[in-house]
Amino acid sequence: SVSLASGAPGSPSTASGPGAQPEWVDCIQASDMCNQNPYCSSRYRVMRQCLVGKEKEAMLDNNRECQAALEVLLVSPLYDCRCKRGMKKELQCLQNYWTIHMGLTEGGDMEDSSPYEPVAPNRHPDAFRLASISSGMLTVAPKGFHCPDAERNCNPCLDAAKACNLNGSCKRQRSTYIATCSKEDPNKGETCSKKRCHKALRLFLDRVPTEFSHRLLFCPCQTEGCAERRRQTIVPDCSYKDKEKPNCLELRGICRQDPLCRSRLADYIVNCWTTPHTVSTCPNQDNHQACLASYARLIGTEITPNYVDSSFSNWTISPWCTCKGSGNQEEECLNFLRYFTDNTCLRNAIQAFGYGIDNTQNKNVSVPGPSATSKTGPDWSTGISEHPSVTIPKYPEPRDGGLDLGEDHSPCLCANVWALLPS
Amino acid sequence: RRQKPCTLRELELTVSELGLGYESDETVLLRYCSGKCTAHRHNYDITMEHMMRTGFKKKGRKDKVINGPCCRPTAFEKDFSFLDNNSRYHTIQNVSAKNCGC
Amino acid sequence: RRQKPCTLRELELTVSELGLGYESDETVLLRYCSGKCTAHRHNYDITMEHMMRTGFKKKGRKDKVINGPCCRPTAFEKDFSFLDNNSRYHTIQNVSAKNCGC
Amino acid sequence: MGLSAGATGLYFPQNEYIETMYVGQLAGTPVLQVHAMLDSDSERPHFYLCWMSPLKRQAYSSWFNLDISTGVLSLNKTLEESDFSWSVKKLFLHAMVLPNFTKKSQCGNKNSARIMLDFVNATMPQCAQTDMKELCFPHRDTSNPHIMENRFPGALRQLRRLTRNYSVLLPADTLVVMAPLDREESECYRLLLVCTVRTETLITKVETSLDVYVNDEDDNAPYVNGTDTADIIISYNRTKGGSFGTLFVFDRDLTPIFPIDKTHNKYVGTLLNNDPWIKDTFDIKGTFSEKKAAVGGIRESVHDYQLVLKRNLYVTENRVVQLDYLVNDTTYPGLEGTVLLHFNVTILPVHIPSCSVSSQAGKVCVENCLEFDGFSVTYRLEVPDKNMSAESQSCFAAISITQASDGMWGLLYVNDSEALRKPECQDLQYLVVAQEEHTQLETSTQVHIILDEGKTVPESQQFLSCAENRQRGDCESMRGLGATTGRCQWRQGTDKGISENYSTCSPDLRTCPDSVCDAVESKDMSICPQDCTKEPVIGGHERGLSGNGIKACYGTCYCFSEKCFCEKEDIEEVICDDMC
């Protein structure tokens, strides 16, 4: 597994100058360039062999030929190539990427770096942060979604469906995936073909402009009817639910076997997850759009996430999986689940999409905001530095008692260990 | 009053307003065919008009016939899917015209 | 009262009785299309029927549309020639149906 | 962090360490300290930097040294500005721990610790400019220690930032486990760490919580809470795949279901009986579920076991057997790792007493036939008197019987209506014979069919589908195909929207529509299209099971051969008038 972050010494494309966006070679071009070079193409062929079998981990670690191939390819254009989201032959580009990078990841619980081109940072990051710093977002009608007839029940998700139906292309694409996802699959006796449904959903999200698709996925709701319509957007009975819930680590494992799913999961984590306590709630200087786009592109893969119920105030998003039966890896499992169920960036991005950015005057109107981020990391609470007296703040109360490990972890026994440190 | 020829027309309706029995507030752009096909008539049509007026009665016939080409869809738009007010999906075929002809 | 489906029917007439204005005692076997096309309707037709009843009015439209496939000739018999009562020959086209369809 | 199953001996309680490096840090500067947990007093950890594969030996690896015994990572060289020239921000190292010396530099087993170093191209900030929190507890250190239960106490984490030059006032700079832990008592301990920083003018206290997890190992034997015996009686329901009785086995340890190959708590069940009949007939199915103990909410495992039939049982099979099933927790080291379960099974024969003809639409049913499952009974008609006259023989074909596809009964139906018109065929006698498929056991009953005088059908009338009618009048005046009473029957729906109680015309309202395309209806689609049609349906509707028939319809349902319609029926049909 790799120990080199991108751009380490010896890697071909060191970025020049601060903030300059390197012009990325896509992995199809890189593969063609490598194939035109006999020295590179032979190693490339060897590497593909190394990754074919089940024993690829062992092959990469112990097989001399595989390692030699990897060393050559590390200095080829294939090492620093990336893929464009929605590009033609996107899957082939991703397959080329993983051919090299499969052997370079840290593995285990460390998340992959994204094979897609990095997203440009958000041009006006402060706009939303002002609104999101307030304890919660708004309950008033969002700016982006005004309700035409105020007296009737406001349903932005219905308006989103109407807007789609009145656009020829959106209507056709929407009807196609709905028909595919709600059609019975007679030969399997199941209610539908999940595989075909996922493909139709991906096509819809690839082809239809985000002004329609994101409106259907992230419309803000103030009623249960609206939230249920939002939950139904991806036809969950077919695309999301299953008879049994797999373990989330198993689901992540399955996803990592598929280049498309692996890439989109990595892209989602890179664009939607920041370690707690960083200033902006989203990577790329609060680039909500990038987060929403990478979330939407997860729909139609093994990890297809969705709203878990039709609650509108305190909604939760999760893949269809559980951390039951994780044994000693429950923490790792819950950490993975938290990328969806406890993701401040995703929550803010969805709320920002629905609740127009500049409605900040009613700050005290609080919608039950995002639950306190309490990753298994340290929970900060700071004594206020005052001359010279010492203030010891209250012991931080994690959500619902005990360690907030989300779904169903037994609360930790609290013990005080006073470790007085540096003076 | 000039008679409008047979053409494709549009009307925005909710699915409930289609009158098919589905209850859904989703809207659909209904396209339908309306207008006259007078210019497409044959001798047959003139004869049928005459027979409907008097001819059939004289022959003791009670037939009711169409005495002219009809302005009808020559093709329909693809399926239309929607979510009804009970959060159930439906897909309906051949409800909106794609183009019209006599 | 069973609804007869759209079929080809026959009637023996004189040319004068065709109502085309020719005066001739020669007779012709007129074939025409009559009967119901109910079985060939689509969702479109049910919607049009509903719109004609209430829908168009509610939307302020005065359209008159056909709410079902029409029982019409799909082909006509070849030309028919005859001698009128002034001993002059005439040939007329598309006056008798060859077969019918909805 | 996942410890490899059954990892005994040295292991890292923490799988990730982080620190920030600055320009100008001198050779010899300690960076951080890794710790390993021991398994016995005699063990001595030997720490090494290692590479996941030779490929991973990086240029910068020579800049660091890992003390073989203390696990302290320190700088081999002073960091120059040139060492920060590339844009990289993060370097990775890997450490491994062995109980002995080694020359090997490849990270041996999966159990190695990852060291992430953030290289900041600046000099280290002075104490005064350092944020107190960062000084005490760097925010990116999110890794929580995992300690294997029942193991040897020891140091698990260095709390002090070795890169910072300050003096430690009070004793605690290392977090130590003082005694072996028991996961079954608590799975996690939330510690409150308090860091007090004193400068000339100020004392600041910074608190943070640290969660220490206790990993499970298989140190509890399986046990039965309640009975280990299930008494099962199998009678009518004797279908392959049927499951009977449930016995529970509990285990206070965990049963990870992921990854499948690494389950440290592997439950294996063995059927101890070697009677081939039992092995061919029965199987035991075990399923696992994780539950929380009532006290303390500690996770534990529950395995439930059910008897499953591997084949259909014949009606004559009649036996009493006892199955012994040994459940073995294969990874439990102790002796009592097994539990013995008992299934006392009594199989009763099924007696096919007699056949009765229920009045309901010509259904013929062997007594209790509705409960049969797992064996099949077929029905056939026979002439009651073998030497009956030739004319009577010709009448015999008028009535036929078919097997219900979804049940154990037979359905009598008119097979040849022409024959029924003959005078000699107005009064028919049949023998209905029911036979059990495997044992060929038979029973029979007499059926007497008398034709209703008034309902003889005129020669000319051809039977059409009742379903074509859209109004009550047409419907009830018509003799439709399959009409058991001779006339079609009208059902008037009352609901407003799309409803299962739609109006329609049917040959027999008892069986059509009932969402089942039964054996008779499936012989001809026009008998009951409401249950059987596969054709398109126009108007608001809901299809039946697996897309056939019409479960719900808007208004009135009527069907032609190529299509069905669901339409409100309150209008006189508008025909095309002069506007065409």
Side-chain angles (χ1 to χ4, degrees):
Chain A
S1 54
V2 72
S3 298
L4 291 181
S6 64
S11 80
S13 69
T14 313
S16 54
Q21 279 292 34
E23 189 40 50
W24 298 97
V25 171
D26 76 53
C27 300
I28 293 179
Q29 296 159 335
S31 161
D32 295 342
M33 287 151 78
C34 179
N35 285 332
Q36 279 142 28
N37 169 330
Y39 185 61
C40 182
S41 66
S42 61
R43 273 36 176 216
Y44 194 20
R45 253 192 323 279
V46 165
M47 176 48 66
R48 283 202 292 270
Q49 291 307 324
C50 299
L51 296 175
V52 163
K54 271 215 163 38
E55 308 310 322
K56 52 175 170 276
E57 295 265 323
M59 286 288 277
L60 290 173
D61 281 353
N62 312 322
N63 181 299
R64 205 42 222 122
E65 238 192 305
C66 291
Q67 285 152 17
L70 204 51
E71 276 175 40
V72 168
L73 295 171
L74 262 182
V75 292
S76 79
L78 277 165
Y79 175 70
D80 242 339
C81 67
R82 291 290 181 278
C83 299
K84 289 188 173 55
R85 295 169 189 80
M87 69 188 275
K88 220 160 141 261
K89 294 193 197 155
E90 178 181 347
L91 184 58
Q92 190 194 326
C93 181
L94 297 174
Q95 282 159 343
N96 292 352
Y97 176 88
W98 290 114
T99 301
I100 303 301
H101 286 260
M102 183 77 78
L104 300 179
T105 53
E106 281 296 305
D109 59 353
M110 184 116 178
E111 295 306 342
D112 297 323
S113 50
S114 171
Y116 292 105
E117 289 184 359
V119 167
N122 183 9
R123 274 188 300 288
H124 20 77
D126 298 331
F128 180 73
R129 200 172 311 117
L130 287 173
S132 69
I133 284 173
S134 67
S135 66
M137 296 317 292
L138 315 170
T139 50
V140 293
K143 169 178 167 264
F145 286 82
H146 51 273
C147 291
D149 32 5
E151 2 38 73
R152 269 198 56 230
N153 215 318
C154 175
N155 188 338
C157 293
L158 176 60
D159 299 337
K162 288 180 175 182
C164 179
N165 286 342
L166 296 180
N167 172 286
S169 155
C170 187
K171 181 185 105 167
R172 268 191 307 279
Q173 301 287 346
R174 178 175 183 243
S175 291
T176 303
Y177 87 73
I178 291 173
T180 307
C181 296
S182 39
K183 196 188 306 165
E184 298 211 337
D185 185 1
N187 32 40
K188 286 214 203 85
E190 292 150 5
T191 47
C192 70
S193 156
K194 187 171 195 174
K195 203 161 179 262
R196 257 188 249 120
C197 174
H198 275 177
K199 188 171 185 213
L201 275 167
R202 291 201 305 271
L203 283 177
F204 173 76
L205 291 164
D206 280 350
R207 292 179 179 165
V208 168
T210 51
E211 74 190 79
F212 293 111
S213 57
H214 284 199
R215 241 183 122 183
L216 288 165
L217 290 171
F218 308 123
C219 35
C221 288
Q222 287 136 41
T223 64
E224 208 163 299
C226 170
E228 176 59 9
R229 172 174 278 277
R230 177 172 62 186
R231 189 183 73 83
Q232 287 282 350
T233 296
I234 64 168
V235 198
D237 286 352
C238 181
S239 69
Y240 179 66
K241 283 189 185 160
D242 235 322
K243 292 185 208 66
E244 306 258 337
K245 268 191 177 183
N247 181 280
C248 294
L249 295 180
E250 183 178 5
L251 190 65
R252 182 181 70 178
I254 293 166
C255 175
R256 279 183 173 171
Q257 302 298 322
D258 167 51
L260 187 70
C261 186
R262 178 173 199 158
S263 306
R264 291 186 174 187
L265 176 60
D267 205 40
Y268 167 73
I269 292 171
V270 161
N271 291 321
C272 269
W273 184 258
T274 51
T275 46
H277 329 303
T278 40
V279 174
S280 59
T281 57
C282 280
N284 311 308
Q285 287 178 281
D286 268 345
N287 191 333
H288 291 136
Q289 197 50 32
C291 172
L292 296 185
S294 54
Y295 170 88
R297 282 157 54 82
L298 261 182
I299 294 170
T301 68
E302 283 296 329
I303 301 261
T304 294
N306 195 30
Y307 300 88
V308 298
D309 54 31
S310 52
S311 107
F312 55 90
S313 52
N314 192 13
W315 42 265
T316 303
I317 280 176
S318 172
W320 181 260
C321 64
T322 174
C323 278
K324 281 204 158 155
S326 300
N328 291 332
Q329 290 179 268
E330 183 168 63
E331 184 199 14
E332 184 182 344
C333 182
L334 291 167
N335 283 345
F336 173 77
L337 197 53
R338 206 168 277 120
Y339 285 140
F340 299 92
T341 57
D342 215 351
N343 187 329
T344 309
C345 167
L346 178 62
R347 185 172 289 278
N348 282 2
I350 290 175
Q351 285 174 336
F353 180 86
Y355 301 153
I357 283 175
D358 48 7
N359 282 9
T360 55
Q361 61 283 14
N362 323 33
K363 263 196 196 143
N364 38 37
V365 174
S366 77
V367 161
S371 54
T373 301
S374 40
K375 193 164 181 272
T376 46
D379 253 346
W380 284 106
S381 57
T382 316
I384 300 136
S385 315
E386 271 170 48
H387 182 76
S389 64
V390 176
T391 310
I392 302 173
K394 189 165 165 302
Y395 178 69
E397 275 312 315
R399 192 173 62 157
D400 58 41
L403 178 70
D404 159 39
L405 281 172
E407 203 188 64
D408 44 19
H409 186 267
S410 56
C412 289
L413 261 186
C414 294
N416 285 355
V417 177
W418 299 86
L420 298 183
L421 283 166
S423 73
Chain B
R1 189 173 53 74
R2 254 199 78 54
Q3 294 178 334
K4 286 204 196 101
C6 173
T7 51
L8 190 66
R9 308 239 172 108
E10 268 183 11
L11 186 60
E12 190 181 314
L13 302 173
T14 66
V15 170
S16 307
E17 289 170 325
L18 290 173
L20 293 172
Y22 297 106
E23 286 306 318
S24 172
D25 298 332
E26 286 200 23
T27 43
V28 60
L29 203 58
L30 176 68
R31 289 198 174 91
Y32 61 95
C33 301
S34 177
K36 288 279 175 272
C37 286
T38 338
H40 296 75
R41 300 168 76 225
H42 301 285
N43 283 324
Y44 172 86
D45 302 306
I46 295 167
T47 298
M48 285 300 116
E49 207 167 326
H50 170 72
M51 297 301 289
M52 283 288 286
R53 234 181 266 115
T54 57
F56 281 135
K57 247 181 250 129
K58 281 186 197 151
K59 296 287 177 177
R61 292 271 176 110
K62 291 202 196 90
D63 286 280
K64 289 194 172 173
V65 299
I66 315 278
N67 54 22
C70 301
C71 175
R72 286 282 301 170
T74 49
F76 289 101
E77 287 195 341
K78 270 187 84 183
D79 304 355
F80 169 57
S81 300
F82 58 90
L83 190 69
D84 70 16
N85 291 349
N86 301 318
S87 294
R88 301 192 53 193
Y89 278 109
H90 300 276
T91 299
I92 48 181
Q93 287 81 22
N94 302 338
V95 69
S96 190
K98 198 167 168 191
N99 32 52
C100 307
C102 288
Chain C
R1 181 182 51 78
R2 201 136 189 73
Q3 299 181 334
K4 288 207 195 84
C6 170
T7 50
L8 194 64
R9 308 240 172 103
E10 286 180 357
L11 190 59
E12 195 180 314
L13 300 174
T14 65
V15 170
S16 310
E17 288 169 321
L18 289 175
L20 295 173
Y22 296 103
E23 287 308 321
S24 167
D25 300 330
E26 284 195 25
T27 54
V28 61
L29 193 62
L30 174 69
R31 288 198 176 87
Y32 60 94
C33 302
S34 175
K36 287 278 171 283
C37 286
T38 327
H40 296 81
R41 296 188 312 147
H42 299 285
N43 282 321
Y44 172 86
D45 302 307
I46 293 179
T47 295
M48 285 304 112
E49 211 166 313
H50 172 73
M51 295 305 288
M52 286 286 287
R53 232 181 294 126
T54 55
F56 280 138
K57 252 179 247 125
K58 277 188 199 152
K59 297 283 175 176
R61 294 263 176 117
K62 295 201 188 80
D63 286 277
K64 287 203 164 184
V65 297
I66 314 277
N67 55 30
C70 304
C71 177
R72 289 280 303 167
T74 49
F76 290 99
E77 287 192 337
K78 278 185 150 258
D79 306 353
F80 164 61
S81 301
F82 58 89
L83 189 67
D84 72 8
N85 293 348
N86 302 323
S87 307
R88 294 182 54 200
Y89 278 104
H90 297 275
T91 302
I92 49 178
Q93 292 82 19
N94 299 339
V95 69
S96 185
K98 197 168 165 196
N99 34 49
C100 305
C102 287
Chain D
M1 174 204 69
L3 295 174
S4 50
T8 50
L10 295 161
Y11 66 92
F12 287 104
Q14 191 170 321
N15 71 345
E16 191 172 81
Y17 294 83
I18 65 124
E19 193 43 275
T20 307
M21 307 307 294
Y22 295 95
V23 175
Q25 283 181 297
L26 302 176
T29 306
V31 176
L32 50 84
Q33 183 175 15
V34 298
H35 288 89
M37 302 301 290
L38 315 183
D39 219 11
S40 66
D41 209 6
S42 61
E43 270 184 331
R44 285 296 162 270
H46 297 69
F47 297 101
Y48 296 92
L49 283 180
C50 63
W51 330 118
M52 293 308 268
S53 76
L55 158 79
K56 304 300 176 335
R57 190 188 299 276
Q58 297 81 16
Y60 56 81
S61 56
S62 57
W63 301 353
F64 298 90
N65 167 63
L66 185 61
D67 185 286
I68 188 166
S69 46
T70 64
V72 172
L73 183 75
S74 54
L75 275 172
N76 263 348
K77 74 186 279 295
T78 298
L79 294 181
E80 317 295 346
E81 187 123 12
S82 58
D83 300 327
F84 295 77
S85 58
W86 11 265
S87 67
V88 77
K89 299 199 173 42
K90 224 191 295 275
L91 300 189
F92 293 97
L93 294 173
H94 286 271
M96 70 177 172
V97 61
L98 299 171
N100 42 36
F101 287 99
T102 180
K103 286 211 171 37
K104 269 184 66 189
S105 59
Q106 191 148 347
C107 300
N109 54 30
K110 284 293 169 198
N111 178 17
S112 64
R114 190 170 48 234
I115 299 170
M116 270 201 304
L117 300 173
D118 266 345
F119 269 56
V120 174
N121 192 349
T123 53
M124 177 181 288
Q126 290 309 314
C127 194
Q129 293 99 23
T130 306
D131 172 45
M132 295 303 157
K133 288 182 279 183
E134 279 304 310
L135 179 65
C136 292
F137 307 115
H139 75 274
R140 286 189 51 259
D141 188 356
T142 56
S143 182
N144 290 312
H146 281 245
I147 300 173
M148 182 60 79
E149 65 172 331
N150 315 324
R151 281 298 181 284
F152 211 74
L156 68 113
R157 188 174 198 157
Q158 170 56 257
L159 296 177
R160 193 159 58 84
R161 296 282 299 275
L162 301 186
T163 50
R164 302 306 165 98
N165 40 22
Y166 48 66
S167 60
V168 176
L169 182 65
L170 292 172
D173 75 348
T174 307
L175 194 59
V176 179
V177 176
M178 305 304 291
L181 301 172
D182 179 10
R183 186 204 70 92
E184 283 71 40
E185 192 188 313
S186 172
E187 301 198 76
C188 160
Y189 292 87
R190 165 158 285 189
L191 310 183
L192 168 67
L193 302 183
V194 179
C195 167
T196 306
V197 182
R198 177 185 293 123
T199 58
E200 291 83 16
T201 54
L202 196 64
I203 295 175
T204 312
K205 275 196 178 145
V206 182
E207 293 169 359
T208 189
S209 63
L210 177 71
D211 298 325
V212 180
Y213 291 92
V214 184
N215 278 5
D216 181 45
E217 69 174 358
D218 197 344
D219 56 352
N220 286 277
Y223 64 95
V224 172
N225 189 354
T227 175
D228 63 3
T229 303
D231 296 311
I232 295 164
I233 295 175
I234 299 179
S235 62
Y236 288 119
N237 176 0
R238 36 214 301 140
T239 322
K240 180 182 174 188
S243 52
F244 307 85
T246 304
L247 291 174
F248 297 95
V249 174
F250 295 88
D251 192 322
R252 298 189 63 213
D253 293 319
L254 298 176
T255 306
I257 52 171
F258 170 82
I260 300 122
D261 53 356
K262 247 173 84 178
T263 40
H264 88 254
N265 186 339
K266 214 172 181 79
Y267 264 58
V268 172
T270 325
L271 197 56
L272 299 185
N273 312 64
N274 32 41
D275 169 353
W277 185 87
I278 288 182
K279 284 194 184 293
D280 298 340
T281 306
F282 294 113
D283 200 357
I284 306 290
K285 188 181 80 185
T287 44
F288 150 76
S289 60
E290 186 172 274
K291 82 175 184 57
K292 295 264 175 94
V295 173
I298 307 294
R299 291 175 295 158
E300 54 188 30
S301 307
V302 183
H303 298 262
D304 59 77
Y305 296 92
Q306 284 191 309
L307 182 75
V308 175
L309 273 176
K310 285 169 79 172
R311 62 175 175 83
N312 290 342
L313 290 179
Y314 303 132
V315 289
T316 49
E317 285 181 281
N318 164 15
R319 206 187 263 242
V320 178
V321 287
Q322 172 172 334
L323 278 75
D324 299 324
Y325 188 71
L326 187 70
V327 174
N328 181 5
D329 176 354
T330 55
T331 49
Y332 178 66
L335 298 175
E336 324 79 41
T338 60
V339 166
L340 190 58
L341 303 178
H342 310 284
F343 293 88
N344 299 336
V345 187
T346 308
I347 301 164
L348 302 176
V350 169
H351 174 56
I352 304 182
S354 68
C355 219
S356 63
V357 179
S358 79
S359 64
Q360 213 218 1
K363 264 189 187 166
V364 180
C365 179
V366 172
E367 215 171 315
N368 304 320
C369 77
L370 298 179
E371 295 172 59
F372 291 173
D373 197 354
F375 60 94
S376 69
V377 170
T378 52
Y379 298 87
R380 66 176 189 274
L381 289 185
E382 282 183 359
V383 287
D385 158 18
K386 290 284 183 276
N387 34 38
M388 65 198 291
S389 64
E391 290 96 10
S392 312
Q393 293 268 4
S394 72
C395 297
F396 179 72
I399 303 292
S400 229
I401 191 166
T402 182
Q403 184 75 22
S405 52
D406 47 8
M408 286 298 164
W409 56 80
L411 284 166
L412 290 168
Y413 66 95
V414 172
N415 181 43
D416 176 4
S417 42
E418 290 310 313
L420 284 182
R421 278 194 237 285
K422 296 183 198 148
E424 65 277 22
C425 299
Q426 305 303 300
D427 183 320
L428 302 170
Q429 297 268 0
Y430 289 94
L431 198 64
V432 177
V433 179
Q435 184 183 55
E436 199 279 323
E437 190 188 15
H438 175 71
T439 57
Q440 312 289 312
L441 267 173
E442 287 191 356
T443 181
S444 63
T445 186
Q446 284 261 355
V447 172
H448 188 188
I449 295 174
I450 306 152
L451 212 68
D452 185 341
E453 288 312 324
K455 297 205 171 111
T456 45
V457 173
E459 199 82 27
S460 63
Q461 181 163 5
Q462 193 224 4
F463 284 99
L464 292 173
S465 168
C466 292
E468 275 197 19
N469 296 297
R470 304 171 57 170
Q471 270 131 21
R472 180 185 292 273
D474 301 340
C475 174
E476 290 169 348
S477 64
M478 184 191 158
R479 295 175 185 287
L481 203 59
T484 46
T485 62
R487 297 256 174 217
C488 300
Q489 300 169 355
W490 179 259
R491 177 173 87 177
Q492 183 57 47
T494 49
D495 302 344
K496 233 161 84 25
I498 298 173
S499 137
E500 293 188 11
N501 179 28
Y502 51 82
S503 305
T504 193
C505 182
S506 156
D508 184 338
L509 286 175
R510 291 172 301 183
T511 55
C512 169
D514 62 358
S515 292
V516 174
C517 184
D518 63 37
V520 174
E521 291 167 353
S522 53
K523 288 192 178 302
D524 182 336
M525 281 300 143
S526 42
I527 292 175
C528 180
Q530 295 94 329
D531 281 349
C532 302
T533 186
K534 295 184 178 6
E535 299 303 332
V537 180
I538 306 303
H541 69 280
E542 243 177 73
R543 298 301 302 230
L545 286 175
S546 62
N548 296 336
I550 300 165
K551 183 172 164 224
C553 197
Y554 177 51
T556 301
C557 167
Y558 59 98
C559 295
F560 302 98
S561 52
E562 62 273 42
K563 229 180 245 187
C564 285
F565 291 83
C566 291
E567 222 181 326
K568 269 296 177 205
E569 217 18 79
D570 46 15
I571 45 116
E572 190 28 59
E573 180 162 334
V574 173
I575 56 125
C576 190
D577 53 21
D578 56 356
M579 82 287 183
C580 283

